[in-house]
Amino acid sequence: MSEIQQFDLIVIGGGPAGYPCAIRAAQLGMQALCIDAWVNRDGSPSFGGTCLNAGCIPSKALLESSELYHRAQHEFEVHGISAGKIGLDLAKMQARKQAVSKANSGGVKLLFSANKVTGLHGHGRLLGDGKIGYKSLDGKDEKIFAAKHIVIATGSAPVELKKIAPFDGQHIVDSWGALDFTAVPERLGVIGAGVIGVELGSVWSRLGADTVLLEALTEFLPMVDRQVTKEALRQFTKQGLDIRLGAKVVAARTGKKGVEVEYEQGGSKQSESFDKLIVAVGRRPYTDALGCEAAGVALDPRGFVKVDSDYLTNVPGIYAIGDVVATGPMLAHKGIEEGVVLAERLAGEKSKVDYRAVPSVIYTSPEIAWVGLSEEQAVAAGHEVKTGSSPFAANGRARAMEATAGLIKFISDAKTDRVLGVHMIGPYVSELAAEAVLAMGYGATTADIQLTMHAHPTLSETFHEASLAVDGHAIHSVNKKKKPA
Ligand code: FAD
Ligand code: AMP
């Protein structure tokens, strides 16, 4: 084994938390190394982690393609466009998705080289005493590196229901498997109607699968405002998604034809058969073979790496960020922010992540997005709440787009007028969420937004209208009389 090479900072994991941390550290003058173990199904190593290779990006590529297919079939006519019979070339759609992922992960490589980050494909292991053991993917090259700062950014992995519905890679698959189907299943089952379940269910339903989502909770998307989820359930059901709430899957048996699923709903046992079953019941922090125990890094009972508000673990010099820590939601942009902020704090800057304004998005059609508290959460937290909402049906641009389903709702503090949350469903609300993040980041009051001009005709006018509706003076939608909360 050659001599130990020294860096200022070593990141283990090259996903959205790890690679920006390494890049920002290098920009701030540190010698940074990022080690990443991701290998795609075709055997190619690839930076970008779950997000670029098996998560955000490939799912959004398929959501875009399947949405276009759906719109061509169902919406062209209303615009006066006749396109003949719309066909589906799934192999081509999948190849495009792969190309999109590849282009993004190739971008990370370019950024490493432009910022003078050393990027290595391979496995990293904590050895303690500021050292990292590196093993190349083919196992032929082994090295030891040392650094003053070591960052764990090893991300997360899908939760498996080992006793109920173990993955077999063919009939029972995780989210990665569900992104790679080579044929549209005739009947598709999805366990879990959370963010990933609803997005993947939408993709295959739009492409023609008869799709059933089985969700153990009786409430749909409990983290989102009730007014928004009520509309979401109505829209998704109209599109043909069969969402069964209070349906707890208790067993799944695979046979030659597919999979037989047993679930309990309303006190009785039910069963369904599917060609494919996607298990989308959440993700777990991933620290397998990382050497946490050997290095003395403490995990919490759910397996997350324990950190303080500086992302420092219980071991001096070892930090953790992204999905592998329990702070904030498991989202790519949360990881990016943590990566950048950690590098800046290590360089002596006073950066901080604002966890009050983390946007969340579900990329269905219509999209769902939220920032901050729902009305239910705000009331439970003891706020005296005032709310206002405006429907996209009252928006000229949305009408021109044939996308009038949905609404934007403001949840504000009745005493201070501060915006506590904005929850939305509708066209491109993923983009409109940025306005709420900015407003809440600056501590905006509802009046601040009411006094801001929005271009006409844009979807953002509904954002403005919803803020006006909080105080009962919306112009383009009817103000509802509300009882005080
Ligand atoms: P990861 O992206 O999981 O990266 C960790 C990396 O570390 C991996 O490459 C892994 O191979 C590597 N690694 C692990 N152990 C080692 C080791 N010992 N040595 C070397 N390398 C190691 N989030 C959003 O914000 N928006 C979305 O639209 C979205 N869509 C999603 C859709 C799906 C289907 C899924 C599954 C997830 C989605 N997410 C989305 C979540 C998002 O992908 C994660 O929050 C994000 O990838 C977490 O980033 P991370 O860097 O913490 O971890
Ligand atoms: P998320 O955490 O957003 O990915 O959502 C996962 C969803 O899966 C949650 O809403 C869980 O209630 C649901 N879930 C977990 N186990 C089961 C099960 N056995 N049957 C049905 N739904 C489940």
Side-chain angles (χ1 to χ4, degrees), residues 278-296:
I278 306 173
V279 182
V281 296
R283 298 181 62 81
R284 65 169 176 90
Y286 184 81
T287 54
D288 301 9
L290 181 61
C292 285
E293 218 177 283

Side-chain angles (χ1 to χ4, degrees), residues 12-309:
I12 306 182
Y19 77 76
C21 183
I23 289 173
R24 189 70 189 113
Q27 287 173 349
L28 291 162
M30 290 181 236
Q31 272 217 315
L33 164 68
C34 180
I35 302 171
D36 185 75
W38 190 277
V39 182
N40 279 316
R41 291 206 206 283
D42 62 4
S44 59
S46 179
F47 290 114
T50 307
C51 175
L52 266 51
N53 296 294
C56 326
I57 300 302
S59 63
K60 265 80 261 179
L62 284 187
L63 277 156
E64 190 64 29
S65 299
S66 59
E67 173 67 1
L68 284 177
Y69 178 66
H70 182 86
R71 294 187 75 176
Q73 283 182 315
H74 301 283
E75 275 183 34
F76 275 17
E77 208 188 323
V78 76
H79 288 273
I81 304 168
S82 47
K85 191 173 171 353
I86 306 294
L88 173 66
D89 182 342
L90 184 59
K92 194 165 178 184
M93 196 180 275
Q94 289 288 26
R96 188 197 84 97
K97 176 207 76 182
Q98 283 311 117
V100 170
S101 279
K102 212 170 172 179
N104 276 284
S105 63
V108 175
K109 241 183 165 164
L110 283 178
L111 292 173
F112 277 174
S113 112
N115 287 282
K116 299 194 169 41
V117 171
T118 307
L120 287 180
H121 297 291
H123 188 267
R125 193 181 179 87
L126 302 167
L127 300 178
D129 206 20
K131 293 194 184 62
I132 296 294
Y134 163 80
K135 194 185 223 176
S136 62
L137 292 170
D138 61 10
K140 289 183 184 158
D141 187 19
E142 286 194 52
K143 287 193 175 85
I144 294 180
F145 297 114
K148 188 172 166 202
H149 310 300
I150 291 169
V151 182
I152 302 171
T154 48
S156 60
V159 169
E160 181 171 13
L161 297 173
K162 275 202 178 103
K163 291 199 179 125
I164 298 171
F167 300 132
D168 66 3
Q170 204 200 339
H171 294 113
I172 305 180
V173 297
D174 63 10
S175 54
W176 194 7
L179 288 167
D180 284 352
F181 288 157
T182 51
V184 179
E186 228 167 272
R187 269 184 73 70
L188 173 68
V190 184
I191 312 183
V195 178
I196 292 176
V198 174
E199 285 188 4
L200 292 174
S202 295
V203 165
W204 295 108
S205 160
R206 288 169 190 168
L207 296 179
D210 183 4
T211 305
V212 180
L213 286 94
L214 300 166
E215 168 56 58
L217 299 177
T218 50
E219 224 178 296
F220 184 46
L221 302 171
M223 59 291 198
V224 189
D225 193 276
R226 293 298 80 200
Q227 201 175 331
V228 168
T229 52
K230 201 170 138 204
E231 178 66 7
L233 202 52
R234 205 169 71 87
Q235 293 298 334
F236 297 160
T237 307
K238 212 163 92 182
Q239 288 163 17
L241 276 181
D242 182 349
I243 302 175
R244 301 186 193 167
L245 299 173
K248 188 175 185 334
V249 174
V250 290
R253 268 177 298 277
T254 51
K256 272 198 190 128
K257 282 198 183 149
V259 45
E260 191 77 24
V261 172
E262 253 180 49
Y263 65 97
E264 290 169 357
Q265 193 180 28
S268 71
K269 271 224 163 106
Q270 321 254 7
S271 70
E272 276 286 358
S273 35
F274 302 108
D275 302 301
K276 300 272 184 192
L277 181 67
I278 306 173
V279 182
V281 296
R283 298 181 62 81
R284 65 169 176 90
Y286 184 81
T287 54
D288 301 9
L290 181 61
C292 285
E293 218 177 283
V297 173
L299 307 182
D300 77 8
R302 291 185 298 158
F304 288 100
V305 177
K306 276 193 192 172
V307 285
D308 67 9
S309 55

